[in-house]
Amino acid sequence: MSYTLSAAKLQTYHRCPRAYYFRYERRLDGSGFYGSPALGTSLHQALAQIYQDWHYQDPVPRLDWIEYCWNQQIGDLTSNQIAEGRAILRRYYYSFIASQSAMRRPLAVEGRIQGCLQVENLEFVLSGRYDRLDYCGDGLELIDYKSAKEIETIEPDEIDLQIGLYYLALEQRYQRSLKQLSLLYLRTGEKFSYTATPDHRQRVEQVISELAVELRRDRRWLPVPGGQCDRCAYARYCPAMRQEPEPLPEAARPEPGLQLVLSLN
């Protein structure tokens, strides 16, 4: 049996083990912070089709190819969302496709990767998803599209964990190292790239080792108070936030023993 870990899980555990316990061990609902708007979903699907279905016989597709792919993904959108999405993709086209001598065929689009790591006699399955994988010299570039209206602030430690998880998983899946993780903000046309190194892999291995000790022996799930507490969905249950925290709701999963299989979210 295995224990599945994603970048989101690792980041949550690093940020606060208690929040990890509430969300993944007791399965408390924190959905208020994890919505996925319809426009963002349609943009991701259109970009996947743009790169996946293009024949690559011509160096660069014309704008009407982008328009065609967008029109395949607008079924559930309002007229305002359709117009906004079209404008976003046109900006993307002129910034990242038309400005290049040729549109590069990616290794893969809209996929999942998995890797494995054994610690404390536990097998951890490292699971992640990507929007696009490009060749980058003798390695890989993982591209993550962001459709949020504002550029999100990501703590360096959290981006390092994401890089490290992908480094491990891609190395096992493709026998190639991750060279770069890029966050591409569709609404602004900005791209932020982070260099990946073996140090990121070592950092992830360290955090997973700490989690393994928690699962095997300690099981204390100590809270880590900080700025994240103001927006935490579980603050009312947390002893670090309230002297008398509320009891967990009846819908919470029963206190687990050693739970080895978790969902990917």
Side-chain angles (χ1 to χ4, degrees):
M1 299 183 70
S2 58
Y3 192 105
T4 304
L5 283 177
S6 64
K9 285 184 177 180
L10 280 175
Q11 290 166 343
T12 300
Y13 178 77
H14 174 75
R15 196 180 306 127
C16 179
R18 193 71 176 182
Y20 183 98
Y21 167 77
F22 286 139
R23 185 176 180 196
Y24 296 113
E25 292 284 288
R26 302 303 299 272
R27 302 284 184 89
L28 292 181
D29 182 21
S31 59
F33 296 96
Y34 302 101
S36 177
L39 176 57
T41 299
S42 294
L43 286 168
H44 279 70
Q45 292 172 342
L47 283 162
Q49 184 179 358
I50 286 168
Y51 284 93
Q52 182 170 273
D53 293 354
W54 175 244
H55 53 66
Y56 292 93
Q57 295 172 5
D58 299 322
V60 178
R62 298 190 309 181
L63 182 60
D64 58 5
W65 171 246
I66 279 68
E67 294 279 355
Y68 171 80
C69 293
W70 177 237
N71 288 335
Q72 306 307 302
Q73 310 297 337
I74 61 176
D76 297 327
L77 302 182
T78 66
S79 57
N80 287 339
Q81 289 174 323
I82 292 171
E84 184 179 6
R86 181 174 290 109
I88 289 171
L89 287 178
R90 283 179 176 174
R91 184 186 304 115
Y92 179 93
Y93 173 76
Y94 288 114
S95 297
F96 298 105
I97 296 179
S99 61
Q100 307 297 314
S101 58
M103 187 170 82
R104 294 186 301 170
R105 185 193 296 270
L107 173 62
V109 297
E110 288 284 318
R112 289 189 175 274
I113 48 174
Q114 284 192 343
C116 295
L117 186 67
Q118 280 210 324
V119 183
E120 290 278 329
N121 295 320
L122 288 176
E123 182 180 65
F124 290 90
V125 174
L126 312 178
S127 176
R129 58 164 300 280
Y130 55 82
D131 293 321
R132 198 170 90 226
L133 276 180
D134 283 358
Y135 293 104
C136 184
D138 60 347
L140 299 172
E141 178 184 14
L142 188 148
I143 297 171
D144 187 8
Y145 301 129
K146 299 291 187 181
S147 56
K149 292 184 178 180
E150 297 181 359
I151 295 175
E152 58 188 314
T153 301
I154 305 176
E155 295 296 327
D157 283 351
E158 295 189 8
I159 198 71
D160 286 349
L161 289 174
Q162 186 174 1
I163 291 171
L165 182 141
Y166 286 131
Y167 195 109
L168 273 167
L170 288 170
E171 197 171 46
Q172 293 180 22
R173 172 66 177 84
Y174 292 105
Q175 291 75 54
R176 290 173 178 263
S177 296
L178 178 66
K179 296 296 183 182
Q180 187 167 279
L181 170 67
S182 295
L183 307 180
L184 204 160
Y185 287 84
L186 300 175
R187 292 177 186 268
T188 66
E190 294 176 272
K191 181 180 179 180
F192 299 90
S193 296
Y194 305 86
T195 300
T197 71
D199 290 341
H200 291 101
R201 177 181 57 195
Q202 294 171 10
R203 175 61 178 142
V204 161
E205 290 173 344
Q206 176 187 342
V207 173
I208 293 175
S209 295
E210 294 169 2
L211 175 57
V213 169
E214 189 84 69
L215 290 166
R216 276 294 189 199
R217 297 198 290 269
D218 290 347
R219 302 194 66 81
R220 293 178 296 168
W221 307 107
L222 294 177
V224 179
Q228 74 274 4
C229 295
D230 292 338
R231 58 184 186 276
C232 179
Y234 315 112
R236 62 185 181 276
Y237 308 121
C238 182
M241 295 299 294
R242 294 190 177 186
Q243 289 185 344
E244 297 184 5
E246 295 180 18
L248 297 185
E250 292 184 5
R253 185 179 186 171
E255 180 78 34
L258 179 58
Q259 179 64 32
L260 294 179
V261 180
L262 296 179
S263 68
L264 299 180
N265 295 323

